Amino acid sequence: MSTVTKTQSLLLHHAARRENGSLFPLPEDLTHPPTIRRSVAAMVGRGWLKARPTADQSAVAHSENNERYGVFITPEGCAAINVKAHEVEVEHSLRAAQPTTKAAQVIALLLREEGATLTDLAQATGWLPHTTRAALTSLRKKGHHLAKAKQSGGPTFYRIIAQ
């Protein structure tokens, strides 16, 4: 099992205490956006948090195509901090049947610490490479800051960075 950092523990406990399991709004005592971004990306990658559509205005993490998305704790996230997922687990099992948009999948992949390659994004969405590149352009136009890095002789990796 992965080790939970102090920031991750604080964020997970914060979400677990909320009735709807939402991470947002963030705790006021967390003030370092890069640390928060890395922690959230790592927890999404481990399955401790999940982005999903929400109607709750206070729980919105980002909006896309007139759809609002929040980040919510999962039963696995509750288990990581040894909290019983009573109401959170019921809420998430009801929401699990809702499909995740391809755009939300792309954002989740780009939020990971290691980011994602064009191939990763195309495989996750079923899009062709030119469509995937167009989606990255669309994210930039919507205000997301994308970093692009290439490892020696390897593929190019993309990720969303904090502003």
Side-chain angles (χ1 to χ4, degrees):
M1 181 173 219
S2 299
T3 305
V4 180
T5 68
K6 183 178 177 182
T7 301
Q8 291 171 344
S9 177
L10 180 71
L11 290 168
L12 289 170
H13 278 93
H14 170 74
R17 282 191 297 268
R18 295 181 54 102
E19 185 177 319
N20 64 356
S22 174
L23 182 62
F24 292 92
L26 291 169
E28 291 180 12
D29 54 341
L30 288 178
T31 57
H32 194 252
T35 301
I36 295 167
R37 185 199 55 77
R38 282 191 304 273
S39 294
V40 170
M43 291 187 293
V44 167
R46 291 183 180 127
W48 297 347
L49 296 174
K50 183 175 180 176
R52 64 175 165 83
T54 183
D56 182 357
Q57 207 47 327
S58 67
V60 173
H62 72 278
S63 297
E64 187 168 317
N65 297 332
N66 296 325
E67 183 80 42
R68 294 182 183 108
Y69 293 89
V71 178
F72 298 85
I73 192 167
T74 64
E76 293 82 7
C78 290
I81 56 170
N82 297 320
V83 171
K84 295 198 180 194
H86 58 291
E87 292 178 14
V88 174
E89 188 171 349
V90 171
E91 174 74 16
H92 287 278
S93 66
L94 292 173
R95 297 285 185 168
Q98 292 183 346
T100 303
T101 65
K102 290 181 180 183
Q105 290 173 336
V106 168
I107 290 172
L109 289 170
L110 294 173
L111 282 171
R112 298 182 308 180
E113 185 68 30
E114 67 273 12
T117 65
L118 195 63
T119 303
D120 294 336
L121 298 171
Q123 286 177 348
T125 60
W127 291 334
L128 294 172
H130 69 277
T131 306
T132 308
R133 283 190 295 274
L136 293 175
T137 300
S138 176
L139 288 174
R140 284 187 189 103
K141 287 181 179 180
K142 290 177 182 175
H144 293 280
H145 295 278
L146 296 177
K148 180 175 158 181
K150 187 168 186 165
Q151 295 179 346
S152 60
T156 301
F157 287 85
Y158 301 89
R159 69 183 180 96
I160 294 176
I161 58 172
Q163 297 179 13

